[in-house]
């Protein structure tokens, strides 16, 4: 997969070179680049923002540097498949694990990190002719710019790409896979500050352990995220689930 991040603060994306993603890049599984729209601002002051039409506080990002930045990273893309342009925004669709799986299937993702009051809407409209544009929200709060959101989304997406993380099995039992939160986990010592681990986990009975874990998932989800219980597909629940 190719990922391009467009940001006027490219150094903000440096952590992506580290750890898992760094390894995936060296392994050739992932090709990640950061492009600064300011490089395409041609005036003497390399202006990327200006005052909003209609008045109001703050500044709006000019469309032209963003359009040229997007063109520069999509010029080589095969014309038969539009890249996906993800724009972190408080006004976007909610980024979920399902969305992460959708994006992990794409050949090229471009992330546009808006700042200030946002990017001139005409860039979004123009970009929609050249890419699939998805304004994306991490949650109902406001950040100063899209970079922090992109760090989270790139990690959530790239860890789903085969070959990026060591043990793909660990993807199957994590939170939100199968619509439930994950069960509590324990490791040595068996007793820590007078707190023992649940006896079931020492039984060696894998069937019972699996049942115990599933019960923990259901209880935890009902307690912390009742909204997710509503979303459950009844077909995903077995008789033992319904008995708890
Ligand atoms: C067309 O879209 C834009 O111009 C986006 O512009 C902005 C402006 C300010 C901040 C951000 C960053 O995203 C969030 O704050 C955000 C994402 N998730 N939850 C909060 C983006």
């Amino acid at each position: 997969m190719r990922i391009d991040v467009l940001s006027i603060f490219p150094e903000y994306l440096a952590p992506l070179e580290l750890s898992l993603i760094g390894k995936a890049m060296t392994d050739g599984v992932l090709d990640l680049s950061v492009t600064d729209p300011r490089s395409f601002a041609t005036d003497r002051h390399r202006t990327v923002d200006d005052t909003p039409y209609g008045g109001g506080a703050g500044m709006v990002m000019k469309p032209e540097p963003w359009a040229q930045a997007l063109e520069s990273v999509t010029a080589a893309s095969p014309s038969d498949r539009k890249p996906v342009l993800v724009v972190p925004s408080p006004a976007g669709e909610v980024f979920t694990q399902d969305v992460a799986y959708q994006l992990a299937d794409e050949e090229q993702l471009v992330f546009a990190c808006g700042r200030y009051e946002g990017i001139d809407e005409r860039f979004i409209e123009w970009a929609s002719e050249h890419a699939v544009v998805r304004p994306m929200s991490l949650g109902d709060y406001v950040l100063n710019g899209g970079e922090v959101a992109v760090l989270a989304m790139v990690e959530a997406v790239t860890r789903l790409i085969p070959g990026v993380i060591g043990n793909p099995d660990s993807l199957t039992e994590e939170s939100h896979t199968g619509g439930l939160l994950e069960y509590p986990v324990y490791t040595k010592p068996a007793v820590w500050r007078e707190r023992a681990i649940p006896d079931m986990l020492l039984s060696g009975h894998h069937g019972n352990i699996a049942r115990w874990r599933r019960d923990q998932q259901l209880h935890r989800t009902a307690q912390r995220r009742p909204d997710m219980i509503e979303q459950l597909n009844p077909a995903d629940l077995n008789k033992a689930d319904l008995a708890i």
Side-chain angles (χ1 to χ4, degrees):
M1 172 190 284
R2 174 174 172 173
I3 294 182
D4 291 278
V5 183
L6 312 181
S7 166
I8 60 169
F9 293 125
E11 62 281 4
Y12 225 113
L13 286 307
L16 290 179
E17 320 278 343
L18 308 175
S19 75
L20 282 177
I21 294 165
K23 181 179 177 306
M25 287 163 69
T26 46
D27 293 353
V29 171
L30 180 67
D31 174 20
L32 186 135
S33 306
V34 182
T35 300
D36 184 349
R38 195 182 296 278
S39 323
F40 302 94
T42 49
D43 64 302
R44 197 154 59 87
H45 297 293
R46 310 194 71 186
T47 313
V48 289
D49 61 322
D50 206 331
T51 53
Y53 277 119
M59 302 289 271
V60 174
M61 304 193 93
K62 296 168 70 68
E64 185 56 24
W66 287 94
Q68 291 191 31
L70 181 60
E71 285 170 332
S72 76
V73 300
T74 56
S77 318
S79 53
D80 62 329
R81 186 150 177 184
K82 279 185 174 181
V84 175
L85 174 67
V86 177
V87 186
S89 167
E93 67 176 289
V94 178
F95 182 72
T96 63
Q97 192 69 5
D98 284 348
V99 173
Y101 272 107
Q102 291 166 25
L103 297 180
D105 265 350
E106 294 295 338
E107 281 166 25
Q108 180 179 15
L109 298 178
V110 184
F111 291 88
C113 301
R115 291 220 141 230
Y116 314 127
E117 300 313 307
I119 306 170
D120 185 305
E121 192 64 18
R122 290 169 295 178
F123 164 68
I124 302 299
E125 291 164 9
W126 169 85
S128 304
E129 297 162 11
H130 305 270
V132 174
V133 181
R134 297 184 72 171
M136 198 68 67
S137 168
L138 283 194
D140 293 337
Y141 44 81
V142 181
L143 302 165
N144 288 331
E147 287 80 4
V148 165
V150 167
L151 288 174
M153 288 190 273
V154 167
E155 180 160 315
V157 170
T158 53
R159 64 192 294 277
L160 301 178
I161 298 171
V164 171
I165 71 166
N167 173 10
D169 294 346
S170 58
L171 292 179
T172 53
E173 292 203 330
E174 55 193 15
S175 278
H176 301 284
T177 303
L180 293 173
L181 299 183
E182 58 197 2
Y183 50 78
V185 290
Y186 303 84
T187 187
K188 301 179 186 66
V191 179
W192 172 76
R193 294 194 182 186
E194 297 170 26
R195 294 172 188 274
I197 63 167
D199 293 336
M200 176 59 74
L201 299 181
L202 293 172
S203 71
H205 192 299
H206 298 294
N208 289 352
I209 289 172
R211 182 66 258 163
W212 180 87
R213 286 174 164 172
R214 178 86 177 162
D215 291 351
Q216 291 295 313
Q217 285 187 279
L218 287 160
H219 281 298
R220 191 175 252 199
T221 307
Q223 192 181 19
R224 298 182 184 175
R225 290 291 304 275
D227 60 297
M228 286 175 64
I229 294 286
E230 301 298 317
Q231 308 276 325
L232 277 180
N233 177 349
D236 289 337
L237 296 174
N238 59 46
K239 268 203 306 298
D241 291 339
L242 299 174
I244 72 156

